[in-house]
Amino acid sequence: MFWKKSQPVEGVNWNTLTSEDQIQELIEESKEKPVLIYKHSTRCGISSMVLDRLERTWTSEDNPIKPYILDLISFRNVSNAVAQSFEVYHESPQVILIKDGKAVYDASHMQVSFDALKHQAR
């Protein structure tokens, strides 16, 4: 993987987002269950800190969200396509929650929280 986990994390089963073709698949998946995209900058300490905090607070119990992680340094074109497809201004780090094919929530930097995502996913 391209990111470093500081500790084993139970419940986070990251799927990688690496191509623009996957965006349509995410849209379809989001019609069955909420989909999370975490836009991660591998060069940014804040992004790593937010990722670590998200992973430490993530629980699989009563969690309907399917998580994807996007290395926006390696896949900038995919990051740009995500911003355009879901009409969400690009930031990093950033979470975008998709339900029924549309972005229903986004947050960046220290506003990223699992509790907020879980609340929005319901």
Side-chain angles (χ1 to χ4, degrees), residues 1-18 22 36-56 58 66-75 93:
M1 292 291 158
F2 54 83
W3 68 93
K4 180 183 174 197
K5 292 184 180 182
S6 58
Q7 60 186 1
V9 179
E10 184 177 329
V12 180
N13 186 17
W14 288 114
N15 299 279
T16 55
L17 179 54
T18 58
Q22 287 178 277
L36 168 72
I37 299 173
Y38 180 74
K39 293 171 76 175
H40 178 53
S41 171
T42 56
R43 295 182 190 155
C44 175
I46 292 172
S47 189
S48 294
M49 182 176 64
V50 170
L51 176 62
D52 180 63
R53 185 177 69 175
L54 185 60
E55 289 181 327
R56 283 185 289 108
W58 189 274
K66 182 171 182 179
Y68 282 83
I69 191 164
L70 168 60
D71 174 352
L72 62 92
I73 301 298
S74 297
F75 301 101

Side-chain angles (χ1 to χ4, degrees), residues 2-114:
F2 54 83
W3 68 93
K4 180 183 174 197
K5 292 184 180 182
S6 58
Q7 60 186 1
V9 179
E10 184 177 329
V12 180
N13 186 17
W14 288 114
N15 299 279
T16 55
L17 179 54
T18 58
S19 77
E20 292 179 48
D21 295 338
Q22 287 178 277
I23 295 172
Q24 188 58 44
E25 293 171 24
L26 293 176
I27 290 169
E28 293 305 314
E29 282 182 296
S30 76
K31 294 175 182 176
E32 300 296 320
K33 70 187 300 183
V35 171
L36 168 72
I37 299 173
Y38 180 74
K39 293 171 76 175
H40 178 53
S41 171
T42 56
R43 295 182 190 155
C44 175
I46 292 172
S47 189
S48 294
M49 182 176 64
V50 170
L51 176 62
D52 180 63
R53 185 177 69 175
L54 185 60
E55 289 181 327
R56 283 185 289 108
T57 57
W58 189 274
T59 61
S60 56
E61 180 182 317
D62 193 31
N63 181 354
I65 304 168
K66 182 171 182 179
Y68 282 83
I69 191 164
L70 168 60
D71 174 352
L72 62 92
I73 301 298
S74 297
F75 301 101
R76 185 58 190 218
N77 62 318
V78 179
S79 179
N80 291 339
V82 165
Q84 183 177 3
S85 295
F86 297 108
E87 300 177 351
V88 175
Y89 182 78
H90 165 76
E91 295 192 65
S92 168
Q94 182 178 43
V95 291
I96 303 169
L97 187 68
I98 293 108
K99 285 175 67 174
D100 297 318
K102 299 193 182 316
V104 296
Y105 176 77
D106 67 277
S108 65
H109 296 83
M110 300 313 290
Q111 283 73 42
V112 173
S113 102
F114 174 67

